[in-house]
Amino acid sequence: MLTKLAWKNIWRNRTRSGVVLGAVAIGLFAGTYLSAFMNGWMLGSVQADIDTNLSHIQISDTAFSANNDIGAYFLQTNVAEKLANTPSLKEISFRLILNGMLSSANNSVGMTANGVVPEDEQRVSTIWKMIPDSLGAFLPEDTRAAIVISEKTAEKLKVRLRSKIVFSFQTAAGEMQTMAFRVCGIFKTSNSAFDEGQAFVRYDDIFPLTALPENSAHKAYIRVADLETCEKITPELKTLFPDLSVQNWKELNPMFAMSLEYMDLYAMIIIGIFLFALAFGIINTMLMAILERTREIGMLAAIGMNRSRIFRMIMFETVFLTLLGSVAGIALAIAALIPSLHSGIDLTFMMSDSFEDYGFSSIVYPVISAEMFVEIVILVILTGILAAIYPARKALKLNPIEAIRS
Amino acid sequence: MRIIETKNLVKVYTGSTVEVRAVDSVDLVIEQGEFTAIVGPSGSGKTTLLNMVGGLDQPTSGEIIVDNVDITQLNQKQLVDFRLKNIGFVFQSYNLIPVLTAAENVSFIMELQGRVKSEIDTRTKEILSDVGLGDRLTSRPFQLSGGQQQRVAVARAMASRPKFIIADEPTANLDSKTTEKLLDMMLELNEKENITFLFSTHDQRVVNKARRVIVLEDGRIVSDERK
């Protein structure tokens, strides 16, 4: 009966209830949309960084991870043998990492040349997908001394597909070496800093010049099923390779990791501000609703409705209002988000270069999580209940005799 | 059988400079099934007396025994429960819940009492038929006239078969024809269900219909007459 009465009570003043419902719905819509957008933006950027740049886990010699010393290598066979017994690993790509200078007839730029086995690399990173059909391919088999550079590097060096460029670096023996390459592919990722500093060559092409022992590598790039597995497997690998440096994407890019962790906090702060404003709206609405019904509440108390029931009736009214508003807000948010789940929200119209300079994707695929919706709805209802305590207490303080006379 | 007994009942309102004895040493006995009007000029203490007997107000001193329970000794929570189980109220301005239908207004108290649904439904229909509104079960208060609303209020007060019904100026907002009808109906129910009625009034027509008339002046009973 209480619930029925509470439900009917909220429709007494449709305009006022409608305003509160609208406020809850719009606030919740904005909160969930923004939260889904920010989560999607962050997760998308992290995923893009993992796909193109970091992979999930990297293994290297401790000295190499500290100062990129060409002489700080490990033997692929030693690492591969141990990793063979770790079933959660999906793919591994070993890389030689050589820092040097990339020069064309027009210009020179500092560059890190990654010596990779193309077939392995294509299973770990997605650089090969970032090369448009018109701009070549990722180290195809039929090309010797091929190099893949970024669009930014090509612009700086003023070179095109099939142009000849020269890479100079210091070998492990301390000698300078130069090798001529022909551009076979030009890529573009959403991370400008990565694009400006990375090039890819065949391991077999560059290795003979490095003066490193047979089978050496500077880094093993490891891909696992997902971020959760990555979290789980990192400590295991650290134990497996006590003498090597094992770092997952979070350790390799702590800024992103921190941003991802704080994303929930940002969302909560925004939602908190909305809830704070909502609380005042509810206090105002419920106070008005109670003032209007002073005589009726006095009558209810007189005929024997106890304080607990009066309190619960007012609480039910608030819960119904906020719950209805929440459902409407979430429905609005889902309706607005669904079209962009697959196509993404294109931010290129506003400073796409600036985003990419910091490694953030300029196309955002919002991430909806049922958990997030449930959390927000619970928070809204809790806010409603807390905000309704003051008006409800006012109602409980009414003296039935005076209330009936009013 | 005694339903209500007050012993040396006093209610004093203390203002900043004056002290008003709204009810002054009232000894009163109401028997089961009586149809009693309390009359007197404004400020004579009628409403204060009814409020105290109905457990809505606490006396300054004295006892109020209802069905062998001294209700002045009950705390607020016990009083609310006592009112729910033992007393029916009819108010001057009907005080129906506007969002509920006539039937829902009547069944509300029985639901608060925790009665079973089938019993509630049967009793609601029965009592609304008794007050002549058997065909208006689903009408909301705004769809009913003042007289009809007061009849719903009487039905609500009687539905749970309380020990007695307190009605504070029940006809004050009604025209004479409607007043007549309502009083006849209340008398009929009083006889049919043997429910005790205690009401305050200024209305001579009500006084004429009452079986017992108690006159209050300055908080004291100056006359108590059974017809």
Side-chain angles (χ1 to χ4, degrees):
Chain A
M1 188 65 189
L2 278 187
T3 49
K4 189 178 175 183
L5 183 57
W7 175 256
K8 290 189 170 187
N9 278 340
I10 65 173
W11 301 114
R12 282 177 187 228
N13 190 328
R14 285 168 193 265
T15 312
R16 191 173 56 217
S17 294
V19 167
V20 175
L21 283 177
V24 173
I26 290 167
L28 213 106
F29 160 73
T32 46
Y33 189 90
L34 196 65
S35 181
F37 176 85
M38 285 166 81
N39 262 326
W41 199 18
M42 210 57 232
L43 278 173
S45 300
V46 164
Q47 195 57 51
D49 202 34
I50 288 170
D51 288 345
T52 54
N53 182 11
L54 302 173
S55 77
H56 287 120
I57 300 166
Q58 292 180 14
I59 299 177
S60 62
D61 187 274
T62 323
F64 187 85
S65 76
N67 56 19
N68 285 3
D69 176 10
I70 186 174
Y73 62 90
F74 60 80
L75 295 179
Q76 293 182 33
T77 43
N78 292 350
V79 171
E81 272 170 25
K82 284 190 178 176
L83 289 178
N85 298 323
T86 311
S88 343
L89 303 185
K90 273 179 79 181
E91 304 295 345
I92 305 164
S93 171
F94 290 101
R95 289 190 194 178
L96 278 174
I97 298 190
L98 307 166
N99 295 307
M101 189 71 79
L102 196 60
S103 310
S104 68
N106 302 304
N107 209 348
S108 294
V109 290
M111 186 60 58
T112 298
N114 293 270
V116 300
V117 176
E119 298 74 29
D120 293 345
E121 185 60 30
Q122 286 179 31
R123 288 196 289 268
V124 171
S125 78
T126 56
I127 295 294
W128 62 280
K129 289 184 186 170
M130 309 289 168
I131 304 171
D133 287 344
S134 57
L135 292 175
F138 189 77
L139 305 172
E141 277 180 32
D142 54 349
T143 53
R144 301 294 301 167
I147 190 166
V148 173
I149 58 172
S150 72
E151 198 178 283
K152 287 211 179 244
T153 307
E155 279 168 19
K156 277 189 182 169
L157 295 179
K158 296 180 182 158
V159 295
R160 297 181 300 184
L161 201 59
R162 283 182 283 280
S163 295
K164 203 172 168 185
I165 50 178
V166 172
F167 182 62
S168 320
F169 66 100
Q170 195 171 35
T171 68
E175 294 166 0
M176 286 303 293
Q177 271 287 5
T178 31
M179 183 170 176
F181 290 95
R182 200 168 287 280
V183 177
C184 70
I186 297 174
F187 67 86
K188 183 180 184 301
T189 72
S190 59
N191 184 338
S192 303
F194 173 82
D195 283 9
E196 281 170 15
Q198 304 292 323
F200 293 83
V201 298
R202 283 181 173 276
Y203 180 96
D204 292 342
D205 287 344
I206 198 92
F207 174 74
L209 304 180
T210 58
L212 288 167
E214 196 69 24
N215 218 341
S216 328
H218 291 117
K219 278 190 177 178
Y221 280 63
I222 296 170
R223 196 168 179 91
V224 294
D226 48 39
L227 298 182
E228 244 175 75
T229 316
C230 174
E231 285 283 300
K232 214 174 100 190
I233 205 173
T234 308
E236 289 174 29
L237 293 183
K238 286 190 179 189
T239 318
L240 195 63
F241 299 103
D243 300 329
L244 294 177
S245 159
V246 176
Q247 291 176 295
N248 64 20
W249 71 271
K250 281 187 171 178
E251 293 160 303
L252 291 161
N253 194 342
M255 190 197 85
F256 258 12
M258 194 181 72
S259 303
L260 195 62
E261 273 177 22
Y262 279 99
M263 196 51 66
D264 283 347
L265 183 68
Y266 297 148
M268 282 300 147
I269 289 172
I270 293 167
I271 290 166
I273 293 168
F274 150 67
L275 292 177
F276 190 69
L278 175 68
F280 282 97
I282 288 174
I283 289 174
N284 182 42
T285 303
M286 294 313 291
L287 267 180
M288 282 174 70
I290 285 162
L291 282 175
E292 270 180 10
R293 279 151 53 199
T294 299
R295 186 190 287 182
E296 188 179 314
I297 291 169
M299 179 276 292
L300 290 172
I303 64 173
M305 192 158 158
N306 59 31
R307 289 159 63 94
S308 149
R309 280 177 165 146
I310 293 174
F311 188 81
R312 274 185 286 152
M313 179 182 76
I314 292 163
M315 287 298 152
F316 280 137
E317 288 175 27
T318 317
V319 168
F320 286 148
L321 266 180
T322 48
L323 193 64
L324 270 181
S326 302
V327 170
I330 283 179
L332 273 177
I334 290 174
L337 284 167
I338 279 178
S340 54
L341 286 181
H342 297 295
S343 57
I345 300 165
D346 194 348
L347 302 179
T348 45
F349 68 94
M350 48 182 263
M351 305 188 297
S352 70
D353 284 348
S354 307
F355 291 136
E356 290 174 3
D357 285 347
Y358 291 97
F360 289 99
S361 172
S362 53
I363 293 184
V364 178
Y365 297 89
V367 174
I368 300 180
S369 102
E371 198 184 320
M372 177 184 78
F373 282 155
V374 172
E375 274 175 19
I376 294 176
V377 170
I378 290 173
L379 278 175
V380 168
I381 292 173
L382 272 180
T383 306
I385 289 174
L386 287 175
I389 287 176
Y390 174 66
R393 282 174 60 87
K394 278 256 178 202
L396 295 183
K397 282 182 183 165
L398 289 176
N399 179 333
I401 303 169
E402 287 168 14
I404 292 165
R405 275 197 206 129
S406 69
Chain B
M1 184 188 158
R2 285 182 180 183
I3 286 286
I4 305 165
E5 183 176 6
T6 69
K7 292 181 183 169
N8 199 22
L9 198 64
V10 176
K11 180 71 181 181
V12 179
Y13 291 109
T14 312
S16 52
T17 51
V18 284
E19 199 176 72
V20 178
R21 292 177 81 84
V23 172
D24 192 1
S25 309
V26 169
D27 293 308
L28 176 69
V29 173
I30 304 285
E31 301 286 343
Q32 165 97 42
E34 280 193 322
F35 196 77
T36 308
I38 299 178
V39 296
S42 290
S44 59
K46 305 185 294 290
T47 301
T48 307
L49 178 62
L50 284 187
N51 284 341
M52 288 192 290
V53 171
L56 291 169
D57 203 356
Q58 285 287 332
T60 308
S61 64
E63 291 175 23
I64 305 165
I65 318 282
V66 176
D67 206 21
N68 298 322
V69 176
D70 182 358
I71 64 169
T72 60
Q73 301 303 311
L74 302 179
N75 62 29
Q76 277 305 316
K77 202 175 167 188
Q78 290 167 326
L79 268 176
V80 173
D81 196 48
F82 185 85
R83 292 200 296 266
L84 177 65
K85 288 174 182 158
N86 297 288
I87 310 173
F89 288 92
V90 179
F91 305 98
Q92 184 178 326
S93 18
Y94 331 133
N95 285 356
L96 298 177
I97 302 169
V99 291
L100 300 183
T101 63
E104 286 167 340
N105 265 291
V106 170
S107 60
F108 188 71
I109 291 181
M110 290 185 281
E111 292 194 34
L112 287 180
Q113 289 175 332
R115 301 202 183 183
V116 292
K117 193 173 180 309
S118 56
E119 184 197 344
I120 294 172
D121 289 346
T122 312
R123 176 65 177 158
T124 301
K125 281 178 194 156
E126 180 194 27
I127 196 76
L128 277 171
S129 293
D130 286 349
V131 298
L133 293 171
D135 56 342
R136 305 303 297 267
L137 297 180
T138 55
S139 298
R140 300 258 296 272
F142 71 88
Q143 295 167 314
L144 300 171
S145 68
Q148 287 172 321
Q149 286 188 53
Q150 195 61 307
R151 280 193 269 160
V152 175
V154 171
R156 176 178 67 184
M158 293 195 66
S160 60
R161 295 191 176 89
K163 293 210 167 69
F164 62 95
I165 288 174
I166 285 182
D168 189 10
E169 309 260 7
T171 59
N173 291 342
L174 302 178
D175 59 43
S176 56
K177 202 173 163 190
T178 315
T179 298
E180 192 86 7
K181 270 186 175 175
L182 184 80
L183 283 168
D184 288 342
M185 182 206 80
M186 283 165 73
L187 268 169
E188 233 177 273
L189 289 169
N190 165 251
E191 278 164 17
K192 184 183 169 195
E193 307 219 356
N194 199 29
I195 291 178
T196 311
F197 275 81
L198 183 61
F199 47 89
S200 66
T201 187
H202 278 110
D203 192 334
Q204 193 53 45
R205 292 161 302 183
V206 180
V207 177
N208 294 343
K209 295 267 180 186
R211 303 278 162 80
R212 181 180 172 191
V213 179
I214 297 169
V215 182
L216 277 186
E217 263 175 37
D218 297 329
R220 286 175 172 270
I221 296 177
V222 293
S223 143
D224 183 352
E225 198 179 311
R226 283 190 171 84
K227 294 180 186 171

